């Protein structure tokens, strides 16, 4: 699964004040208009620029390709329990058959058996597997998730998000993404 990013839109990669992206998935990007507005409001530092400029009769400015916030934004400690974050935790993969299409979420212990809608009881499942399992317990259905459900950290979700880069990554962004990969000599 990839997020469509248009190179013609000239988006700016947004970094926190510590030079880490605010988010990997979706990648923290602002439109060039929002980036320019943040520059004029003195909320960001320009780290890198595109060759393209915007001009008025009395002013010209190259468009920012990477900006960093001047004020550090504290990341949330516990990610929100959302359908999207469950899918991201499970790498957009059915936890029963491995399919990537038609995802929904499944209660491992069905609600009919007292299962709750929590990180520890919900997994990504394709619709056919979800229907096949129905309200049966995993052992009775013969369907045990590949990965035991768990409450992810923000770091877990960032790490998984790195596996799903957008279709376009500008060269000026590369020094600020994937910094835990080995450097080339």
């Amino acid at each position: 699964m990839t997020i469509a990013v248009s190179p013609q839109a000239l988006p700016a990669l947004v970094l926190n004040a510590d030079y880490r992206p605010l988010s990997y998935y979706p990648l923290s990007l602002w439109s060039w208009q929002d980036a320019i507005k943040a520059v004029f409001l003195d909320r960001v530092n320009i780290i890198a620029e595109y060759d393209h400029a915007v001009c008025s009769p009395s002013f010209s400015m190259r468009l920012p390709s990477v900006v960093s916030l001047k004020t550090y934004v504290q990341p949330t400690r516990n990610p929100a329990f959302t359908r999207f974050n469950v899918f991201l935790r499970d790498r957009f993969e059915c936890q029963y058959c491995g399919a990537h299409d038609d995802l929904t979420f499944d209660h491992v212990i069905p609600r009919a058996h007292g299962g709750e809608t929590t990180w520890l009881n919900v997994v990504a499942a394709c619709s056919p597997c979800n229907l096949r399992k129905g309200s049966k317990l995993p052992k009775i259905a013969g369907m045990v998730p590949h990965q035991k459900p768990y409450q992810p950290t923000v770091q877990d979700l960032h790490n998984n998000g790195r596996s799903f880069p957008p279709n376009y990554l500008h060269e000026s962004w590369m020094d600020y993404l994937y910094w835990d990969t080995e450097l080339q000599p």
Side-chain angles (χ1 to χ4, degrees):
M1 173 171 225
T2 59
I3 297 288
V5 175
S6 168
Q8 293 79 23
L10 302 171
L13 175 65
V14 183
L15 307 175
N16 209 338
D18 65 356
Y19 286 71
R20 295 181 189 209
L22 293 175
S23 171
Y24 280 96
Y25 196 85
L27 190 57
S28 52
L29 299 176
W30 283 350
S31 68
W32 67 265
Q33 295 94 332
D34 288 340
I36 295 265
K37 181 179 177 182
V39 168
F40 279 101
L41 292 173
D42 200 31
R43 294 181 179 156
V44 297
N45 294 311
I46 298 174
I47 307 301
E49 299 171 322
Y50 289 107
D51 290 333
H52 192 282
V54 290
C55 303
S56 74
S58 61
F59 178 80
S60 179
M61 176 181 179
R62 287 176 56 188
L63 295 177
S65 63
V66 179
V67 296
S68 70
L69 300 178
K70 288 191 173 187
T71 304
Y72 182 75
V73 175
Q74 184 70 38
T76 58
R77 293 192 187 278
N78 298 313
F81 178 68
T82 65
R83 182 180 302 267
F84 180 83
N85 283 344
V86 169
F87 293 163
L88 184 55
R89 178 199 65 189
D90 294 346
R91 298 178 168 267
F92 297 92
E93 181 176 286
C94 173
Q95 292 302 293
Y96 300 113
C97 74
H100 294 278
D101 297 323
D102 200 16
L103 289 180
T104 182
F105 68 78
D106 177 59
H107 291 81
V108 177
I109 306 299
R111 288 188 291 182
H113 292 274
E116 296 179 350
T117 306
T118 66
W119 281 115
L120 303 178
N121 190 47
V122 171
V123 295
C126 66
S127 287
C129 283
N130 203 344
L131 287 171
R132 193 172 87 219
K133 181 174 171 283
S135 62
K136 297 184 222 92
L137 292 169
K139 299 238 188 235
I140 293 169
M143 297 175 71
V144 177
H146 296 152
Q147 168 183 274
K148 184 178 177 182
Y150 66 97
Q151 181 166 352
T153 63
V154 170
Q155 190 62 40
D156 292 333
L157 296 183
H158 279 314
N159 288 340
N160 286 356
R162 291 176 188 182
S163 301
F164 302 99
N167 62 324
Y168 169 76
L169 295 170
H170 190 265
E171 66 220 19
S172 66
W173 304 351
M174 300 315 285
D175 286 340
Y176 306 98
L177 302 173
Y178 319 114
W179 49 70
D180 55 351
T181 58
E182 190 173 324
L183 297 175
Q184 295 184 6

